């Protein structure tokens, strides 16, 4: 997958925020860093060892920005692999459109993103106008507001202004 990873990191920080202490997201799920879901994904023993922290310390004192970026990098790796396995066609997309679908997958998870069948049909056909309209015709778009508008526009035009 060929895209600007640093631009994706900036994009995800814009959309997800960067919080160094545990907080509850809009669904009441404990979260830290750049959208790391502590209930579903958690923090692995290897990640805890790398950060030289105990799980209790994360809840009590939080993490550093460097640790948040470390976790984000791991999350991006996981989402890339899951998304590519589900839709190998993303390898044919340009930088901006790859970042659009990665951003969506990061936000809602690949299983939910798979349900965007009409968006994926548009992507497979190279009909990015259709794909962008299908993105907006979803409960997800209602939930994330401007993020959906920004990503839909980027899917349509191939340009993303963060």
């Amino acid at each position: 997958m060929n895209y600007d990873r640093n631009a994706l990191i900036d994009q995800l920080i814009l959309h997800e925020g960067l919080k160094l202490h545990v907080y509850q997201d809009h669904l009441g799920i404990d979260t830290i860093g750049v959208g790391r879901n502590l209930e579903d994904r958690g923090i692995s023993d290897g990640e805890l060892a790398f950060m030289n922290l105990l799980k209790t310390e994360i809840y009590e004192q939080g993490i550093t920005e460097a640790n948040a970026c470390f976790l984000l990098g791991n999350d991006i790796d996981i989402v890339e692999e899951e998304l590519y396995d589900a839709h190998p066609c993303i390898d044919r997309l340009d930088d901006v459109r790859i970042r659009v679908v990665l951003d969506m997958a990061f936000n809602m998870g690949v299983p939910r993103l798979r349900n965007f069948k009409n968006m994926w049909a548009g992507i497979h056909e190279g009909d990015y106008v259709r794909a962008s309209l299908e993105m907006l015709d979803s409960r997800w778009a209602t939930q994330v507001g401007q993020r959906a508008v920004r990503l839909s526009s980027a899917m349509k035009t191939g340009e993303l202004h963060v």
Side-chain angles (χ1 to χ4, degrees):
M1 213 177 307
N2 191 16
Y3 70 94
D4 184 341
R5 188 176 176 112
N6 289 327
L8 177 65
I9 289 168
D10 292 342
Q11 180 179 322
L12 290 172
I13 290 171
L14 171 71
H15 290 153
E16 295 284 335
L18 171 62
K19 297 190 174 113
L20 303 179
H21 290 87
V22 176
Y23 67 97
Q24 290 192 331
D25 71 5
H26 71 284
L27 298 174
I29 296 169
D30 285 349
T31 307
I32 198 164
V34 184
R36 170 62 77 99
N37 178 324
L38 294 175
E39 293 177 22
D40 292 339
R41 179 150 299 149
I43 297 181
S44 72
D45 291 340
E47 290 171 328
L48 288 169
F50 179 86
M51 296 185 297
N52 196 27
L53 290 170
L54 299 172
K55 191 176 283 189
T56 56
E57 292 175 312
I58 290 173
Y59 277 86
E60 292 168 2
Q61 63 198 45
I63 60 176
T64 65
E65 190 170 332
N67 287 341
C69 289
F70 166 70
L71 293 174
L72 176 58
N74 291 346
D75 290 343
I76 291 170
D77 291 343
I78 291 166
V79 170
E80 276 182 9
E81 185 177 331
E82 289 175 351
L83 188 57
Y84 182 79
D85 287 347
H87 289 283
C89 70
I90 64 169
D91 223 13
R92 296 189 313 263
L93 297 176
D94 59 69
D95 167 71
V96 169
R97 292 183 176 106
I98 289 173
R99 288 189 284 128
V100 166
V101 293
L102 283 170
D103 189 311
M104 292 177 73
F106 191 92
N107 178 243
M108 72 178 82
V110 172
R112 275 187 62 208
L113 186 58
R114 281 187 187 142
N115 293 330
F116 282 60
K117 295 181 184 346
N118 293 329
M119 178 195 81
W120 285 111
I123 289 172
H124 281 281
E125 296 164 9
D127 185 349
Y128 301 121
V129 171
R130 175 182 176 196
S132 71
L133 292 171
E134 295 297 340
M135 289 168 65
L136 294 176
D137 186 22
S138 67
R139 188 173 61 147
W140 166 80
T142 304
Q143 292 171 336
V144 301
Q146 263 316 111
R147 181 181 193 165
V149 171
R150 185 179 298 113
L151 293 177
S152 172
S153 175
M155 177 61 74
K156 181 179 178 179
T157 66
E159 296 178 14
L160 180 61
H161 305 287
V162 188

